[in-house]
Amino acid sequence: MHHGIKKLLLLGAGHAHVHVLAQLAEHHPGDLDVTVLTPFAHQTYSGMTPGFVAGRYSEDDCRIALEPLVRAAGARWLQGRCSGIDAAGQTVQVSPVQGAPDMPATLGYDLLSIDTGAVLDRTRLEADMPGAATHALAIRPIEAFTTLWPQVMALAQRQPVSLAVVGAGAGGIELVFAAEQAIRLHGMPGARFTLVTGGPEVAANYTPGVQRRVLRQLKRRGITVLREACTGITEGEVHLGNGARLACDVPLLAIGTHAPAWLQGSGLALSDEGHVLVNACQQSTSHANVFAAGDVASRADLPHPKSGVYAVRAGPPLAHNLLAAHGAQPLQPHTPPKHTLNLLSCGTGHAIASYGPLHAEGGWAWKWKDRIDRGFVMRYQRT
Ligand SMILES: Cc1cc2nc3c(=O)[nH]c(=O)nc-3n(C[C@H](O)[C@H](O)[C@H](O)COP(=O)(O)OP(=O)(O)OC[C@H]3O[C@@H](n4cnc5c(N)ncnc54)[C@H](O)[C@@H]3O)c2cc1C
């Protein structure tokens, strides 16, 4: 790459980009103009969202204030959303955010980095699960979820609610435990809780040992597990694949997410699922001046699960490689870890820890998770 790179555009302020900003605060080349395009003034840390639902954390505990971090990095924040990329023309289309100052419709770049996370595509959701987009509360976007959660608590204080979480991956499991804890402590007695797995076993991506531990904890807390697909949602009912209907006041969606539709037509090489295809340096396999990390990206050489842990690990190599690209220096490859530490919170200060084939649980695992999560948010707080 040549040394004519003057404009770096960061899309999104996800797990990897907060690290890029922190690195720029340490070392910001004088001739590099950095802009961050992201819709919210905060980056909400998803790992702590179940703790927020459980009532353990305030909203502020779970989020990184972006303005001070962007300022420390010597960068400029534009409050808006990317709604398209023209990789050949080196421009990004911008959608305004309600209430934000006027924004140019397109932004040019010399170097682009994408860390906008995964999305729940409402059109695809509605095709798979008619009624879900209207009647269910989805965990993504997390900012909307955390704003609406207090309304669920208010309802649970007026009547014994029936709450169902659809999706039994890590997010759904943590969410149902957290909701059960909060409503049991602060809601009307008689509430009912259900986890709808979609068909597979609970915690399908985990080892059988972890699955057994999760099932034991669900049973202990009286949470019903239905190994059925959710085929639709209407007012007060979740429709199941076996034809049954589950009476439900609060359907929560924690199902798998999608790649953003706006990547289609960008000209960037994409994976079969539509994520930005990157090489070992987190660099687009089709455009050398585009980088991507986190849930929006897929490694062409070493595909790995999409999780916050991998997004965090990609932060330091991404920061290094963006600065190297600017300085026409060699890029450094990044090897994602084969196994990562997973800490599944079960509410009530208890968590299940797993690493590869190893697993254990207890209050100590929850304290460990609490320390890691709080530490991550604190690391990027600036005043
Ligand atoms: C309830 C829950 C709990 C979870 N717990 C864990 C956990 O404990 N451990 C773990 O490893 N993973 C966990 N995950 C998964 C984790 O949330 C994701 O893998 C992680 O957030 C991905 O990080 P990211 O940097 O790709 O994107 P995000 O963290 O989603 O950040 C995306 C950023 O881009 C911005 N943005 C979005 N769209 C646009 C746009 N169009 N234009 C510009 N900016 C945009 C957003 O505002 C945000 O700043 C959990 C997920 C959920 C739902």
Side-chain angles (χ1 to χ4, degrees):
M1 207 168 296
H2 61 86
H3 200 86
I5 291 172
K6 300 280 186 250
K7 278 194 275 184
L8 166 61
L9 177 57
L10 302 176
L11 299 184
H15 292 60
H17 274 179
V18 288
H19 190 84
V20 171
L21 290 168
Q23 278 302 107
L24 284 167
E26 300 284 312
H27 170 65
H28 189 139
D31 60 344
L32 185 63
D33 171 76
V34 183
T35 300
V36 186
L37 177 70
T38 196
F40 299 105
H42 296 94
Q43 168 64 7
T44 301
Y45 183 55
S46 52
M48 289 172 82
T49 304
F52 163 75
V53 167
R56 285 187 173 265
Y57 302 129
S58 70
E59 243 180 306
D60 278 347
D61 289 335
C62 314
R63 55 195 203 178
I64 298 165
L66 291 176
E67 257 182 317
L69 182 60
V70 170
R71 203 181 327 114
R76 179 167 61 124
W77 172 41
L78 293 182
Q79 189 174 12
R81 284 176 201 282
C82 167
S83 52
I85 297 175
D86 173 2
Q90 298 190 184
T91 55
V92 159
Q93 285 146 38
V94 181
S95 283
V97 169
Q98 217 182 5
D102 281 350
M103 187 75 43
T106 56
L107 295 171
Y109 65 83
D110 300 314
L111 188 60
L112 179 70
S113 183
I114 313 170
D115 182 15
T116 51
V119 296
L120 199 55
D121 185 321
R122 295 180 88 78
T123 312
R124 288 171 68 179
L125 174 66
E126 213 33 46
D128 294 344
M129 242 178 243
T134 323
H135 298 290
L137 175 56
I139 185 72
R140 285 192 186 278
I142 285 182
E143 292 78 7
F145 175 83
T146 52
T147 305
L148 292 172
W149 175 253
Q151 291 184 28
V152 175
M153 285 308 295
L155 181 69
Q157 280 157 2
R158 290 197 300 272
Q159 65 180 68
V161 289
S162 167
L163 178 146
V165 173
V166 180
I173 291 167
E174 290 200 326
L175 200 57
V176 78
F177 279 128
E180 189 272 339
Q181 180 182 359
I183 292 174
R184 187 169 37 75
L185 285 177
H186 303 293
M188 288 273 285
R192 283 173 296 128
F193 303 91
T194 308
L195 184 61
V196 180
T197 73
E201 186 49 274
V202 167
N205 294 335
Y206 288 79
T207 60
V210 174
Q211 289 173 2
R212 278 194 296 277
R213 288 183 187 276
V214 174
L215 287 168
R216 209 161 41 229
Q217 290 297 331
L218 288 166
K219 195 168 172 198
R220 196 166 286 167
R221 286 164 174 73
I223 299 168
T224 306
V225 176
L226 296 178
R227 292 171 185 80
E228 290 294 333
C230 168
T231 53
I233 299 180
T234 47
E235 174 95 50
E237 284 184 334
V238 171
H239 303 204
L240 301 173
N242 62 2
R245 292 184 177 206
L246 173 74
C248 175
D249 313 303
V250 185
L252 300 181
L253 289 186
I255 52 172
T257 47
H258 310 114
W262 48 257
L263 280 172
Q264 301 292 331
S266 62
L268 294 170
L270 303 180
S271 70
D272 290 346
E273 293 77 33
H275 301 100
V276 182
L277 211 51
V278 294
N279 63 21
C281 301
Q282 301 297 141
Q283 181 184 38
S284 159
T285 56
S286 58
H287 292 75
N289 64 338
V290 178
F291 289 71
D295 284 5
V296 76
S298 274
R299 281 281 294 258
D301 56 334
L302 266 182
H304 57 70
K306 300 206 184 308
S307 79
V309 177
Y310 283 101
V312 167
R313 295 290 187 102
L318 179 68
H320 176 276
N321 286 336
L322 289 172
L323 288 172
H326 165 259
Q329 297 297 312
L331 305 184
Q332 263 177 21
H334 161 55
T335 309
K338 191 161 171 229
H339 298 301
T340 58
L341 173 68
N342 289 294
L343 294 159
L344 270 176
S345 160
C346 308
T348 62
H350 186 96
I352 300 168
S354 60
Y355 184 83
L358 309 174
H359 50 91
E361 65 187 294
W364 58 268
W366 188 85
K367 285 191 188 124
W368 196 4
K369 177 171 169 56
D370 179 57
R371 206 164 48 242
I372 293 173
D373 289 349
R374 283 184 190 271
F376 180 82
V377 171
M378 286 308 296
R379 197 174 317 142
Y380 300 108
Q381 294 290 17
R382 301 286 185 278
T383 45

